[in-house]
Amino acid sequence: MRRIIGGTFVSLDGVMQAPGGPTEDTTGGFDLGGWVFKYSDEQFGEAIGKLFDREYDLLLGRRTYDIFAAYWPYYEGGEDNPIATAFNACNKYVLTSGDQDLPWANSHRMKTVADIAALKETSGPDLIIQGSSTLYPALLDAGLIDRLTLMTFPVTLGTGKRLFGKGTPARKLTMVEQSVTSGGIICSTYEPAEPIVDAGSASPPPTTNDREQERQRKMKEGNW
């Protein structure tokens, strides 16, 4: 069985859009692309190396696939860049409901999350997610992600696609590794644990005074 490992660059306010360059993803009017490299440091590079220090295949959403397929096969000096060499050689599994061409060598179409679940059961290297914000809610909900490494940068971006978007399930995650670089990038690795069924079960009982009851009434009516 393969593991599915997410590796994501994220801002303090949860944005993961276009970390690599200004034209990477401008959808929604996002104009802060390339924010990672302005704030990266040597230890960040070491953390990236640790994520990719294994044999792996890539698991991508269609838009991230399009970004990568228009960049890495054309990367000059690719033989001297281990990431370029590995990305071009490995299998790319792309979750997409469309029938568009997947021209990058060793690319494979995944139509549904069930297809990914079946792939996970096969023998082969780990599957590493890059970018692909739309994958996380569905894969977390299906219990398919084994590890999630977040590299959280000390910046707020205010707008943009977020890692945990609509459809993200309520789950507990267990931190298994953490470090902080000299530039303040927090590198944290989590393993999903049990779903959260009743988040408030351990909290103190609610108050019942008249003022609190009035506040509760306003919340229900949408007037609070």
Side-chain angles (χ1 to χ4, degrees):
M1 178 185 290
R2 305 174 188 238
R3 294 188 304 168
I4 295 180
I5 300 170
T8 304
F9 314 135
V10 64
S11 68
L12 281 174
D13 54 341
V15 176
M16 61 178 292
Q17 186 168 350
T23 61
E24 184 177 293
D25 182 0
T26 60
T27 56
F30 190 74
D31 61 358
L32 297 171
W35 50 272
V36 157
F37 295 103
K38 184 174 182 180
Y39 302 102
S40 60
D41 54 35
E42 183 177 349
Q43 292 155 303
F44 166 69
E46 293 171 356
I48 293 292
K50 186 175 181 180
L51 178 64
F52 291 109
D53 67 350
R54 72 198 79 207
E55 184 183 1
Y56 60 85
D57 289 330
L58 290 174
L59 177 59
L60 307 170
R62 194 269 301 169
R63 288 184 175 177
T64 297
Y65 173 84
D66 285 349
I67 293 168
F68 282 13
Y71 181 79
W72 289 110
Y74 307 95
Y75 183 82
E76 295 183 1
E79 294 181 357
D80 298 322
N81 184 311
I83 294 293
T85 299
F87 277 17
N88 285 320
C90 75
N91 288 299
K92 278 72 69 173
Y93 296 96
V94 187
L95 181 62
T96 175
S97 59
D99 294 318
Q100 69 278 5
D101 290 339
L102 302 176
W104 195 8
N106 306 314
S107 295
H108 312 275
R109 192 184 313 275
M110 300 277 103
K111 284 284 191 179
T112 66
V113 171
D115 290 340
I116 295 175
L119 174 65
K120 191 176 189 296
E121 292 294 323
T122 64
S123 60
D126 290 339
L127 299 159
I128 295 183
I129 304 170
Q130 286 286 276
S132 309
S133 61
T134 58
L135 293 187
Y136 285 99
L139 295 185
L140 281 168
D141 190 44
L144 295 177
I145 293 181
D146 296 283
R147 278 202 160 197
L148 177 59
T149 295
L150 303 184
M151 300 178 191
T152 305
F153 284 69
V155 297
T156 57
L157 298 175
T159 186
K161 297 174 183 177
R162 283 170 164 77
L163 171 61
F164 299 119
K166 185 177 180 180
T168 300
R171 294 192 68 93
K172 180 182 183 300
L173 289 89
T174 301
M175 182 182 289
V176 294
E177 293 179 6
Q178 191 209 39
S179 62
V180 183
T181 75
S182 59
I185 303 166
I186 302 171
C187 303
S188 306
T189 297
Y190 301 88
E191 293 180 351
E194 70 274 7
I196 297 175
V197 177
D198 187 357
S201 60
S203 62
T207 58
T208 58
N209 61 67
D210 291 345
R211 187 166 185 172
E212 174 60 13
Q213 290 183 33
E214 176 66 10
R215 190 181 73 85
Q216 292 292 328
R217 181 185 66 79
K218 289 181 178 179
M219 278 198 295
K220 290 179 181 179
E221 294 175 351
N223 298 319
W224 181 51

